[in-house]
Amino acid sequence: MDTSFFSALTKEFTSPLHTPFQKEDFYPLDLSTSNNELDVELLTRPYDHHKFLQLYLKISGSKVAYGGYLEKRPLYDRSDYFQAQDPGDKRNIHLGVDLWCNAGESIVTPLDGEIHSFKHNKNFGDYGPTLIVKHTIDGQEFHTLYGHLSVASLHNKKIGQKVKAGEVIATLGTPDVNGDYAPHLHFQIVIDMQGKEGDYPGVGSQNDLEFYKKNCPDPNLLLKIYE
């Protein structure tokens, strides 16, 4: 599916956060291995990391930190869930965009769709509660994935349930349920779910990168947070 298809679905900045933030409220955050100033140990303490992010945003005059698409991150080294014997199969390349804000923030879907599936993914460092919405537009089917949600976000959900663009579908979870991260939304586009339900890799390996770049295009094509 050509990336221009996704770019044409929204005309301007479109946030999956319900609070009426402006584009100017978003500030980039670099969690990559190339960031020499990154305190990796801080990332393993989610409540302290959240406090740091609040200060980071206050200093920058912003309200939401964003980033991460195709970012190679040292954060995932802490969990056996992402490891492999072959270094090329080690999963440490982020396939979505993260929006770091406060737990309890309401989440909306940017497009009309229906609930594809949902699940509480409980592996250490995983998504925690996860919701996936299927969209069919101009005969093209694809999905948006929302990870690190609250447990309550999965209550009263039904597969096939219709959702409207801008409708609140979830809230962000706290570190005790969201995979042990500072509160944030993992937002990802997935074209082919490959038969998976309630889960899809949000972190890929170098060996699989070319496939995932095609199956999980840049979410910013929809959100238009940055140029």
Side-chain angles (χ1 to χ4, degrees):
M1 196 178 297
D2 193 278
T3 56
S4 62
F5 169 79
F6 295 102
S7 184
L9 293 177
T10 53
K11 295 181 179 180
E12 56 190 1
F13 166 72
T14 303
S15 172
L17 307 178
H18 186 246
T19 298
F21 295 117
Q22 305 299 309
K23 186 174 183 178
E24 295 74 22
D25 293 327
F26 288 68
Y27 195 77
L29 178 67
D30 182 356
L31 297 182
S32 73
T33 54
S34 60
N35 182 357
N36 295 326
E37 297 181 354
L38 183 65
D39 184 349
V40 178
E41 197 275 332
L42 176 64
L43 303 181
T44 68
R45 293 182 279 117
Y47 289 98
D48 289 338
H49 185 213
H50 179 60
K51 292 178 182 178
F52 169 82
L53 289 173
Q54 289 179 312
L55 178 61
Y56 176 81
L57 290 168
K58 183 177 180 180
I59 291 172
S60 68
S62 307
K63 297 177 181 177
V64 181
Y66 73 84
Y69 182 62
L70 300 188
E71 193 172 69
K72 187 175 182 180
R73 293 176 168 177
L75 172 60
Y76 306 115
D77 291 344
R78 66 181 180 145
S79 174
D80 292 340
Y81 182 59
F82 300 102
Q83 307 311 308
Q85 288 187 338
D86 181 346
D89 288 328
K90 176 181 175 179
R91 296 198 294 136
N92 58 7
I93 301 174
H94 194 250
L95 302 175
V97 66
D98 285 335
L99 302 179
W100 304 82
C101 49
N102 292 319
E105 173 68 38
S106 295
I107 306 303
V108 303
T109 176
L111 302 165
D112 291 352
E114 64 180 63
I115 293 178
H116 172 274
S117 52
F118 48 93
K119 181 182 176 184
H120 191 169
N121 296 289
K122 297 182 179 180
N123 292 303
F124 178 61
D126 207 336
Y127 288 129
T130 309
L131 182 64
I132 299 170
V133 177
K134 181 175 74 173
H135 310 275
T136 305
I137 300 176
D138 295 335
Q140 302 283 352
E141 183 179 295
F142 64 97
H143 310 78
T144 49
L145 182 151
Y146 308 78
H148 309 299
L149 307 175
S150 66
V151 174
S153 298
L154 306 187
H155 294 170
N156 301 316
K157 292 293 190 297
K158 296 181 180 180
I159 293 174
Q161 178 181 337
K162 303 295 184 183
V163 295
K164 291 299 233 178
E167 178 182 341
V168 173
I169 58 172
T171 56
L172 286 186
T174 52
D176 58 310
V177 299
N178 77 355
D180 198 52
Y181 296 98
H184 71 288
L185 173 68
H186 174 97
F187 180 82
Q188 183 172 335
I189 298 173
V190 184
I191 298 174
D192 180 4
M193 285 295 298
Q194 298 182 279
K196 295 179 172 59
E197 296 184 352
D199 189 18
Y200 192 85
V203 183
S205 69
Q206 187 62 50
N207 287 345
D208 293 329
L209 184 57
E210 290 308 309
F211 168 77
Y212 283 124
K213 284 167 67 175
K214 294 177 181 177
N215 200 44
C216 301
D218 187 350
N220 193 56
L221 294 166
L222 282 179
L223 304 184
K224 297 178 172 59
I225 296 171
Y226 51 93
E227 303 301 326

